[in-house]
């Protein structure tokens, strides 16, 4: 992976401590968004031959989460609307107008099928990344009044609707990403706040305790976790599947970190976690889980902990004040702690295996200070596919986007 050295020198033996304040989202959204970079993406509607540059742009108060492919930035605009932005200037290059009313769902941007998918209340909507036009709209089975969970894998969009109050059995449906053709749907007993994973020809959900794997082509159940395995929340990456405690739990005791065999759903040997509250995690293709764990009694205090899933052990820890973090090749990106005056308001790049104490090529790198990275902006990160050498910082308070060189 190409790395850009920024304003100064790499940090050697960096140790940051102190905790105050937890990260949030630009519009109070509870659902995450995802980008799939599988396959070879085609050029999206942007200036011919223009690559990623550094730039800053504003977005409207109605704007939602943004993601990035190797060729462009894509953002929600509320109630199912989408916009595309140039990777070289940040200017809007296409717009799909909002439609209807309702809570927005996840934003899934899939380079392989050239589709961006979101929802608005009673409908699922997709835009064509190549043309910048609406690709298709499909009604949701139950007309969810709350955000739905969306994932994409191997050319298929999977949608997990959210229930009305007191309802546990809800709809899990699959649609062809290219044209929205309905492939199958199932009424399932699922906790939508436990998230959903899709990879390797299977779709995984949890009911808050038990994990179920379904065949991606038919929706038929093919495996469940054995008795005694507790899974409140799913994290996936590459071909790895991990259970953690729920980030919305009101308790102070959580089930231990548990890696599952994706085929049988049997538990596998797993590194011991810290015992703190798991908030959010990302997993690299070679099996490094980076998990943000916060103090259950004081969520403003937390740390990113890296676990080797293949050779079970904890690799390193980094004290921080945000659960916003992403992967960029063999590096982990997050924001520096807001309460450390020496380094705050920056993006930090950490080697996945060496951690914050790495040296030489594996040393952590810092970006310059950016106003968009201040804790009070509730900033978020989006990493483009490919190797563009840039990362997108989205500020929530003053609603600005900034493309910066990758630290």
């Amino acid at each position: 992976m190409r790395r850009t050295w920024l304003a100064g020198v790499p940090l050697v033996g960096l140790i940051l401590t102190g905790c105050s304040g937890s990260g949030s989202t630009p519009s109070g959204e509870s659902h995450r968004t995802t980008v799939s970079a599988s396959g070879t993406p085609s050029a999206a509607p942007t200036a011919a031959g223009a690559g990623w540059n550094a730039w800053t742009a504003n977005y409207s108060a109605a704007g939602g989460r943004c993601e990035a492919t190797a060729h462009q930035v894509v953002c929600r605009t509320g109630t199912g609307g989408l916009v595309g932005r140039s990777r070289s200037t940040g200017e809007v290059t296409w717009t799909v107008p909002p439609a209807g009313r309702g809570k927005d769902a996840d934003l899934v941007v899939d380079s392989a099928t050239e589709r961006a998918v979101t929802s608005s209340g009673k409908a699922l909507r997709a835009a064509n990344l190549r043309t910048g036009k609406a690709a298709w709209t499909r009604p949701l089975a139950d007309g969810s009044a709350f955000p739905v969970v969306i994932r994409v894998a191997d050319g298929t969009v999977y949608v997990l609707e959210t229930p009305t109050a007191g309802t546990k059995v809800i709809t899990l449906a699959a649609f062809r990403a290219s044209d929205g053709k309905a492939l199958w749907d199932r009424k399932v007993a699922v906790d939508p706040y436990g998230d959903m994973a899709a990879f390797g020809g299977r779709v995984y959900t949890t009911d808050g305790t038990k994990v179920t794997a379904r065949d991606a082509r038919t929706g038929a159940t093919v495996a469940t976790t054995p008795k005694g395995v507790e899974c409140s929340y799913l994290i996936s990456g590459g071909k790895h599947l991990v259970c953690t405690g729920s980030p919305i739990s009101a308790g102070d005791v959580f089930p231990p970190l548990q890696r599952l065999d994706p085929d049988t759903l049997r538990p596998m040997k797993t590194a011991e976690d810290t015992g703190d509250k798991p908030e959010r995690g990302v997993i690299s293709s070679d099996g490094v889980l980076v998990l943000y764990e916060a103090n259950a009694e004081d969520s403003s205090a937390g740390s990113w902990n890296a676990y080797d899933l293949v050779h079970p052990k904890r690799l390193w820890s980094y004290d921080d004040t945000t659960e916003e973090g992403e992967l960029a090749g063999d590096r982990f990106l997050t924001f520096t702690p807001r309460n450390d005056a020496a380094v705050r308001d920056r993006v930090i790049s950490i080697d996945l295996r060496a951690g914050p104490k790495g040296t030489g090529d594996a040393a952590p790198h810092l970006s310059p200070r950016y106003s968009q990275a201040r804790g009070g902006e509730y900033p978020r990160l989006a990493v483009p596919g490919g190797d563009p050498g840039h990362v997108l910082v989205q500020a929530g308070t003053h609603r600005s986007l900034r493309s910066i060189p990758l630290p």
Side-chain angles (χ1 to χ4, degrees):
M1 180 185 77
R2 177 162 57 100
R3 302 192 184 102
T4 305
W5 291 58
L6 302 176
V9 296
L11 306 179
V12 179
L14 177 68
I15 303 176
L16 299 177
T17 59
C19 304
S20 71
S22 178
S24 181
T25 64
S27 55
E29 301 154 356
S30 61
H31 286 73
R32 302 296 306 185
T33 55
T34 56
V35 164
S36 172
S38 58
T40 303
S42 301
T46 188
W52 278 89
N53 293 319
W55 47 261
T56 304
N58 295 324
Y59 65 101
S60 72
R65 172 72 181 188
C66 296
E67 287 292 354
T69 71
H71 296 281
Q72 64 184 310
V73 178
V74 182
C75 305
R76 286 202 315 257
T77 60
T79 61
L82 295 163
V83 298
R85 291 178 176 270
S86 166
R87 61 182 174 174
S88 59
T89 66
E91 295 178 354
V92 172
T93 56
W94 54 263
T95 301
V96 174
R101 296 180 180 179
K103 300 283 187 178
D104 285 330
D106 289 351
L107 167 65
V108 173
V109 181
D110 183 38
S111 297
T113 58
E114 299 180 324
R115 295 292 182 267
V117 185
T118 187
S119 79
S120 175
K122 298 182 179 181
L124 191 69
R125 306 189 77 208
N128 186 317
L129 297 180
R130 173 180 282 274
T131 66
K133 305 292 185 181
W136 48 265
T137 300
R138 295 291 179 269
L140 294 172
D142 299 326
S144 292
F146 300 95
V148 302
V149 182
I150 306 173
R151 296 292 178 264
V152 62
D154 300 323
T156 302
V157 177
Y158 303 96
V159 179
L160 186 63
E161 299 196 33
T162 50
T164 55
T167 303
K168 194 72 173 182
V169 177
I170 57 179
T171 300
L172 171 64
F175 301 86
R176 191 160 62 197
S178 59
D179 58 8
K181 179 182 177 181
L183 301 177
W184 53 262
D185 64 80
R186 293 280 188 275
K187 290 293 185 179
V188 296
V190 171
D191 179 2
Y193 301 104
D195 217 326
M196 173 171 58
F199 62 91
R202 295 189 172 191
V203 185
Y204 302 90
T205 58
T206 177
D207 63 5
T209 300
K210 179 181 67 179
V211 178
T212 300
R214 293 179 174 84
D215 186 281
R217 299 167 299 172
T218 65
T221 298
V222 293
T224 58
T225 44
K227 291 183 179 180
V229 177
E230 185 176 356
C231 188
S232 304
Y233 191 81
L234 293 171
I235 303 175
S236 65
K239 297 180 179 179
H240 307 282
L241 185 66
V242 171
C243 291
T244 72
S246 171
I248 64 172
S249 172
D252 56 6
V253 178
F254 313 98
L257 194 68
Q258 182 62 72
R259 182 187 179 200
L260 300 179
D261 183 308
D263 293 327
T264 66
L265 292 186
R266 293 187 177 279
M268 304 173 70
K269 188 176 181 180
T270 311
E272 183 177 357
D273 60 23
T274 66
D276 285 335
K277 182 180 179 181
E279 297 284 354
R280 180 173 177 252
V282 291
I283 306 176
S284 68
S285 59
D286 62 348
V288 176
L289 164 67
V290 190
L291 180 66
Y292 186 77
E293 297 171 88
N295 186 299
E297 297 180 356
D298 179 10
S299 61
S300 66
S303 60
W304 288 101
N305 294 292
Y307 299 92
D308 187 330
L309 298 176
V310 179
H311 308 93
K313 60 181 178 180
R314 187 150 66 107
L315 299 173
W316 50 264
S317 184
Y318 176 74
D319 291 340
D320 208 346
T321 54
T322 178
E323 63 184 56
E324 294 298 330
E326 298 293 343
L327 297 175
D330 59 357
R331 291 252 160 180
F332 173 71
L333 302 179
T334 189
F335 297 100
T336 51
R338 70 180 67 180
N339 56 5
D340 191 327
V343 295
R344 66 187 179 198
D345 307 337
R346 301 171 186 249
V347 177
I348 185 171
S349 162
I350 300 172
D351 185 275
L352 274 176
R353 295 192 175 273
K357 294 184 179 181
T359 60
D361 290 341
H365 303 158
L366 279 178
S367 76
R369 279 195 169 91
Y370 293 114
S371 60
Q372 289 81 3
R374 292 173 184 161
E377 291 291 344
Y378 300 104
R380 305 171 83 175
L381 291 167
V383 178
D387 185 21
H390 284 72
V391 61
L392 192 70
V393 179
Q394 181 177 11
T397 301
H398 291 96
R399 297 194 176 268
S400 65
L401 302 173
R402 187 162 196 150
S403 171
I404 67 170
L406 189 66

